[in-house]
Amino acid sequence: MHSSPTRTRTALLAVAAAALSAVLMTGCSDVQQALNQGGDTPCSDYVKQDANGKRMTITKFLKQQSGNDNEPAGTAVDANMAAADFLCANQRNADTLIKNASLPGIFLNQ
């Protein structure tokens, strides 16, 4: 028994709709976390993030630095966010990764 092209399309559309619903139900933050590069985020991308995105980026960066998956202290995240905000907003090279943002980078095109 062969299925008709209409049945096949309908089945494919149903599967696509179910997949889209699953993605939407997981929320944007899950998508952001999956795409989050942590310390490998360029300053040009970091400065465009909202506060929640920056917090996730810095949290991942601190986990990368420590080499474990433990949640860093909120104060450490806050302090590193403030530093990254300042450094990335002023880097002469917008492609500088947040892990490499530095005071000299404000004055020199690193």
Side-chain angles (χ1 to χ4, degrees), residues 58-73 76:
I58 294 298
T59 299
K60 183 169 183 176
F61 169 51
L62 293 174
K63 287 179 180 180
Q64 290 169 333
Q65 276 190 321
S66 69
N68 63 48
D69 210 26
N70 296 335
E71 288 296 316

Side-chain angles (χ1 to χ4, degrees), residues 49-92:
Q49 294 177 345
D50 63 11
N52 186 50
K54 288 179 178 182
R55 180 166 288 284
M56 284 191 293
T57 298
I58 294 298
T59 299
K60 183 169 183 176
F61 169 51
L62 293 174
K63 287 179 180 180
Q64 290 169 333
Q65 276 190 321
S66 69
N68 63 48
D69 210 26
N70 296 335
E71 288 296 316
T75 53
V77 175
D78 292 340
N80 280 275
M81 277 179 65
D85 285 342
F86 175 77
L87 293 171
C88 281
N90 295 296
Q91 291 297 291
R92 293 195 72 186

